[in-house]
Amino acid sequence: MASKKLRRAGVSQELCELLNRHHVESCKDLLSLTPLEVMRVAGLSYQNALALMRSVSQHCAPPVTTLLELWKPKSESFFSTSLPALDDFLRGGLPLGTITEVAGPSGCGKTQMCVMLSVLATLPRSLGGLDAGVVYIDTESAFSAERLVEMAQARFPEHFSSRERVLQMASRVHVFRELTCQDVLNRLDRLEVDIISTKAGLVILDSVASVVRKEFDTTLPGNLASRSNLLTQEASTLKYLAHQFNIPVVLTNQITTYLGNGGGGVPGEGDSGYVIAALGNTWSHTVNTRLIVQYVDARQRQIVIAKSPVAPYAVLNYTIQKEGICLDGDNQEPMGEARDPGLQPIRVRTEFKYSLSQAVGTDGGS
Amino acid sequence: MKPVSASPLSPSVKVKLLNAGFLTSEELLQLKPLQLSKEGGLSLEEALEVQQILREGVDLPGEGGAGLGSTALELLQQEERSIVTFCSSLDAALGGGVPVGKTTELCGTPGMGKTQLCLQLCIDVQIPECFGGLGGEAVFVDTEGSLVVQRVADMAQAAVQHCCLQDQDAEQRDALKDFTTESLLGHLYLMRCHDYVELLAQVQLLPDFLVKNPKVRLLVIDSLAFPFRRHFEDLSVRTRLLSGLAQQLIRMACQHRVAVVWTNQMTSQLRGGQWELVPALGESWGHSATQRLLLHWSGGRRLASVFKSPSQSESSVAYSVTREGFRDAGPLASSPSGREQDSSRQSESKQDSSSQSGSKRPRTQEGQ
């Protein structure tokens, strides 16, 4: 790996000491030099300098495989979402080893989706689950254990008929509440340990946008770059862990207003803009799959597959029920057209039906 | 008449030789090792090594084959094939396809289909020669993690079926026996790099890999931008690393006869008070690729624009990404379960509608 010390990369002791005097200590330092610089710093001829770089590269470079070796059956490459139409578009479900983002306005169902996926991850493989633990990093304090249990019992009544099963499922979901950027970064640093100790098969970060937007004011100079930096760092860590452990990572994102022809979601006054996913254009590149949840009207909502390495642009209708997300029927015509997933317009809630006589029932979104 | 100071010797040896008054390599080669070691103040082994290095002479890059250039006529006759993209209008705009021996950059906003095009090329490079392909292998360096094997398997299967539907002669039928989804996946090498150091290390080792696997005709890096879009304390270091990388890639393309394709991202830049999307990695990076393609949305359709090319004029063509892979945009008589990325929008297209039917038209009849 990059920060590997040169001594462990097979470089001789005297050469290491010589290089250390020039502040070249790790593989990263050596490979960032040009061959001429290596000649000068290590006192070697050109050929030997090249040979040194090649041998150090061999210790850093990833292994080479062919795709045939990586081709596995669907159950081992995808995490089924238990929504058949969505799984169909995604050719099996959320791809393992990648980052999936769920973006949308508040109250549309992002946290509900996360809770539902947590339940699914703990299910045994015979029911389509991953039979593993869940690491749930909650930055908005939106996670509700009661909702988790209610959803589990409503969605899989036979399986969760006994109390022990419910308790066992709940004990496999590990919730970490992190409320600042630094806390989130620290948690991500320790995530490898957490994944191993909880035997996690799914990592959820709900939400990635809230802490970042609280602490970075992008109208101040330099903040946009540091914010991008932080996000890229988070994304690299998550991608690395997703790949190494071959698990899916699910993030939630918020929305922002987009004005005019530009990028980066810089809000301003004036023009009517439209609503897009937050965190900007660089972030849209970083996530592998982007699912957008949006409103059709007060009750009916939609999932839009805005970016996916396997699925085309598609729109699915759903509602939120006791058992979580429920897809509606066969109405799957794309409404509206496919666009740049960073600039995909999102429909927000425009009215708020308020009825005194109606008790808080199955309309709860979160 | 090469000066000693410019020779590829180690610095300490050079200093000793210069102090002893040697100015050119010819002078060094005229002496025998014993005399050289006495006059130059070197040990015997060092003197021997010096003469060996100087005699081997030109392993320096940029000096390879000194004086052995080719005439334009020879270059014309060399006739390197291009790798088709299965989108006939794009192939026409590129002059046949993605050229072997040159570097091509794909820029575009997320979700445009850059990875899809790269995967399509990885498959198309393996099409047997009797079908018009190169019969080669492909190397895919993945820095983003967007490669889902199932997707590649689907595209491979579609390509195999496409070839099977052609009229075949005996040679083609023979070639088809080895042209299966499994073989396509088996000849696609994958390297997953998590940061820029791993990427640099991998690119250092690639020339050796290409020598060991001479059938590789395509190298894809997806994406080149992602590992470099992190914080660099010193931006000039990033620029230097990137230009070093570009040099190595260009050299690999020429010397090993591979097509090098990499993808770039877009970044927002404040220009004249407006935020615009431009290719990432900076202005100077734009010079690195021989050819640049921009994939973008326009009026609800996906367009590929050739915006830098030494041999083709700037043009834009429409394309689509389907279940089978990267294809022409077209009026869609899609099979009932086939799904197109564009909802069928059929305004006039700007492409030069090539009348190529037959082998390049990728309408497969697979049901679901």
Side-chain angles (χ1 to χ4, degrees):
Chain A
M1 278 281 289
S3 48
K4 206 171 182 180
K5 293 291 181 203
L6 286 173
R7 200 167 31 81
R8 288 187 32 246
V11 180
S12 69
Q13 185 68 19
E14 326 92 69
L15 202 47
C16 275
E17 283 168 20
L18 189 55
L19 291 169
N20 280 354
R21 261 180 261 149
H22 294 265
H23 305 293
V24 176
E25 283 166 358
S26 65
C27 296
K28 171 169 140 181
D29 299 329
L30 184 74
L31 289 176
S32 304
L33 302 174
T34 64
L36 287 179
E37 285 174 348
V38 174
M39 270 176 79
R40 188 176 51 86
V41 157
L44 296 173
S45 69
Y46 185 74
Q47 288 297 82
N48 290 345
L50 283 186
L52 174 66
M53 289 181 85
R54 240 184 314 226
S55 84
V56 168
S57 296
Q58 253 152 6
H59 285 269
C60 288
V64 182
T65 57
T66 64
L67 279 199
L68 191 58
E69 293 164 23
L70 295 174
W71 198 19
K72 289 186 268 217
K74 273 196 190 163
S75 54
E76 291 174 44
S77 341
F78 292 96
F79 171 36
S80 161
T81 59
S82 81
L83 305 169
L86 183 61
D87 281 348
D88 193 38
F89 277 116
L90 294 177
R91 311 287 285 131
L94 305 183
L96 300 186
T98 64
I99 297 188
T100 305
E101 178 196 75
V102 180
S106 67
C108 211
K110 307 188 293 293
T111 305
Q112 297 300 298
M113 173 80 93
C114 292
V115 172
M116 191 180 83
L117 291 174
S118 309
V119 173
L120 292 174
T122 60
L123 288 180
R125 288 199 178 262
S126 52
L127 286 174
L130 296 174
D131 196 19
V134 178
V135 171
Y136 194 113
I137 305 177
D138 184 9
T139 65
E140 295 177 321
S141 297
F143 181 81
S144 152
E146 290 85 13
R147 181 70 177 127
L148 179 77
V149 169
E150 180 193 38
M151 221 191 264
Q153 285 175 325
R155 209 175 184 95
F156 302 99
E158 330 78 40
H159 181 76
F160 287 112
S161 48
S162 71
R163 195 170 155 69
E164 299 89 64
R165 285 238 181 102
V166 173
L167 292 180
Q168 194 217 20
M169 181 272 297
S171 67
R172 287 175 105 176
V173 178
H174 303 258
V175 181
F176 300 97
R177 292 222 153 89
E178 312 293 346
L179 297 171
T180 68
C181 278
Q182 194 53 47
D183 287 342
V184 171
L185 279 180
N186 294 342
R187 176 59 54 191
L188 290 182
D189 277 338
R190 287 200 295 268
L191 199 54
E192 207 169 318
V193 170
D194 293 330
I195 293 178
I196 299 176
S197 57
T198 62
K199 299 201 192 22
L202 171 66
V203 172
I204 297 184
L205 175 50
D206 176 20
S207 73
V208 70
S210 64
V211 275
V212 164
R213 295 174 96 192
K214 272 190 294 200
E215 296 186 18
F216 288 91
D217 177 1
T218 52
T219 55
L220 295 178
N223 267 17
L224 192 55
S226 347
R227 188 182 85 164
S228 275
N229 215 23
L230 178 84
L231 289 173
T232 317
Q233 201 183 337
E234 283 185 17
S236 296
T237 315
L238 287 169
K239 278 192 180 180
Y240 168 68
L241 292 172
H243 179 245
Q244 296 293 91
F245 290 101
N246 202 32
I247 58 176
V249 173
V250 177
L251 313 168
T252 60
N253 192 5
Q254 296 171 347
I255 53 170
T256 184
T257 314
Y258 171 72
L259 303 159
N261 55 337
V266 181
E269 318 88 43
D271 282 320
S272 64
Y274 56 92
V275 170
I276 59 170
L279 299 183
N281 166 63
T282 310
W283 182 254
S284 320
H285 276 295
T286 311
V287 300
N288 300 115
T289 309
R290 171 170 274 177
L291 301 175
I292 292 181
V293 290
Q294 63 183 7
Y295 287 94
V296 176
D297 55 40
R299 198 157 184 279
Q300 189 73 12
R301 297 139 199 233
Q302 287 179 332
I303 299 182
V304 176
I305 304 180
K307 177 183 177 188
S308 163
V310 294
Y313 173 82
V315 177
L316 302 162
N317 291 326
Y318 74 94
T319 52
I320 304 206
Q321 310 286 352
K322 203 155 166 228
E323 58 265 23
I325 310 249
C326 292
L327 288 184
D328 272 357
D330 307 302
N331 177 19
Q332 285 151 25
E333 280 169 34
M335 279 162 50
E337 58 203 33
R339 294 253 234 143
D340 173 356
L343 296 178
Q344 183 74 32
I346 304 179
R347 311 238 294 263
V348 299
R349 194 171 203 161
T350 47
E351 59 196 29
F352 195 52
K353 284 223 167 74
Y354 185 93
S355 165
L356 283 173
S357 57
Q358 195 171 9
V360 176
T362 54
D363 254 293
S366 149
Chain B
M1 287 292 281
K2 265 195 63 191
V4 165
S5 48
S7 54
L9 304 167
S10 70
S12 48
V13 167
K14 254 193 256 186
V15 163
K16 288 185 203 163
L17 292 174
L18 286 171
N19 283 344
F22 289 102
L23 288 176
T24 66
S25 351
E26 280 72 17
E27 289 175 17
L28 293 173
L29 287 173
Q30 278 161 8
L31 300 176
K32 295 250 181 200
L34 267 173
Q35 205 173 358
L36 180 57
S37 83
K38 266 193 229 142
E39 293 195 16
L42 305 170
S43 72
L44 284 173
E45 294 82 14
E46 277 179 344
L48 200 58
E49 201 191 339
V50 162
Q51 295 204 321
Q52 260 171 1
I53 292 180
L54 290 177
R55 238 172 244 130
E56 273 163 33
V58 280
D59 275 295
L60 290 169
E63 254 199 288
L68 280 184
S70 10
T71 64
L73 183 60
E74 285 168 17
L75 288 174
L76 266 179
Q77 288 168 339
Q78 250 168 28
E79 224 190 280
E80 285 283 12
R81 272 184 170 157
S82 310
I83 308 177
V84 298
T85 61
F86 268 12
C87 171
S88 49
S89 37
L90 183 58
D91 288 336
L94 289 173
V98 172
V100 168
K102 302 218 165 66
T103 52
T104 306
E105 175 174 304
L106 302 176
C107 321
T109 49
M112 282 317 300
K114 308 187 286 291
T115 308
Q116 303 297 310
L117 177 54
C118 291
L119 293 175
Q120 188 69 57
L121 290 171
C122 286
I123 292 180
D124 293 347
V125 74
Q126 301 186 45
I127 295 178
E129 292 188 0
C130 46
F131 282 99
L134 277 82
E137 303 179 342
V139 170
F140 194 101
V141 178
D142 184 11
T143 61
E144 287 194 328
S146 284
L147 187 99
V148 177
V149 185
Q150 185 59 45
R151 174 68 175 144
V152 188
D154 291 342
M155 289 168 82
Q157 199 179 18
V160 169
Q161 282 186 314
H162 175 74
C163 286
C164 287
L165 290 172
Q166 314 280 313
D167 287 329
Q168 300 151 24
D169 56 27
E171 188 191 348
Q172 290 178 326
R173 261 188 295 262
D174 231 2
L176 270 185
K177 286 194 205 117
D178 290 321
F179 190 62
T180 61
T181 307
E182 285 79 18
S183 80
L184 280 169
L185 292 182
H187 291 298
L188 221 180
Y189 300 99
L190 176 68
M191 299 158 187
R192 175 90 168 87
C193 296
H194 293 105
D195 55 38
Y196 75 92
V197 180
E198 286 189 18
L199 181 61
L200 289 174
Q202 193 59 263
V203 173
Q204 277 280 342
L205 298 175
L206 271 176
D208 296 332
F209 184 86
L210 291 176
V211 165
K212 269 190 242 146
N213 297 276
K215 289 186 74 185
V216 172
R217 289 270 92 78
L218 171 68
L219 169 64
V220 173
I221 304 184
D222 178 32
S223 67
L224 195 51
F226 179 64
F228 285 99
R229 293 189 80 185
R230 50 171 303 136
H231 180 60
F232 273 80
E233 300 79 26
D234 187 0
L235 261 189
S236 59
V237 170
R238 186 183 90 160
T239 314
R240 190 167 52 73
L241 291 176
L242 281 173
S243 28
L245 204 54
Q247 265 190 330
Q248 286 176 307
L249 292 172
I250 295 175
R251 195 186 316 152
M252 263 190 272
C254 289
Q255 282 182 352
H256 297 97
R257 281 176 58 225
V258 290
V260 178
V261 177
W262 64 71
T263 61
N264 195 1
Q265 295 177 347
M266 303 295 273
T267 184
S268 317
Q269 210 178 67
L270 196 54
R271 269 191 193 165
Q274 287 269 7
W275 284 97
E276 280 183 5
L277 278 182
V278 298
L281 297 182
E283 272 300 322
S284 39
W285 180 251
H287 300 291
S288 308
T290 311
Q291 223 173 32
R292 292 178 99 187
L293 283 177
L294 176 67
L295 305 181
H296 59 113
W297 287 100
S298 175
R301 285 183 313 156
R302 293 166 188 260
L303 290 186
S305 303
V306 178
F307 74 100
K308 174 186 174 187
S309 169
S311 51
Q312 309 299 321
S313 60
E314 294 194 8
S315 56
S316 296
V317 302
Y319 69 92
S320 69
V321 182
T322 68
R323 179 164 281 208
E324 287 96 37
F326 197 85
R327 296 289 190 268
D328 279 295
L332 293 250
S334 34
S335 50
S337 51
R339 295 179 192 95
E340 300 294 321
Q341 287 262 25
D342 289 301
S343 42
S344 46
R345 207 135 298 234
Q346 276 321 302
S347 29
E348 15 32 275
S349 52
K350 290 188 266 180
Q351 72 223 41
D352 39 323
S353 41
S354 38
S355 55
Q356 296 187 42
S357 51
S359 54
K360 294 271 180 78
R361 268 275 154 212
R363 289 276 144 245
T364 60
Q365 268 85 38
E366 65 173 14
Q368 199 17 286

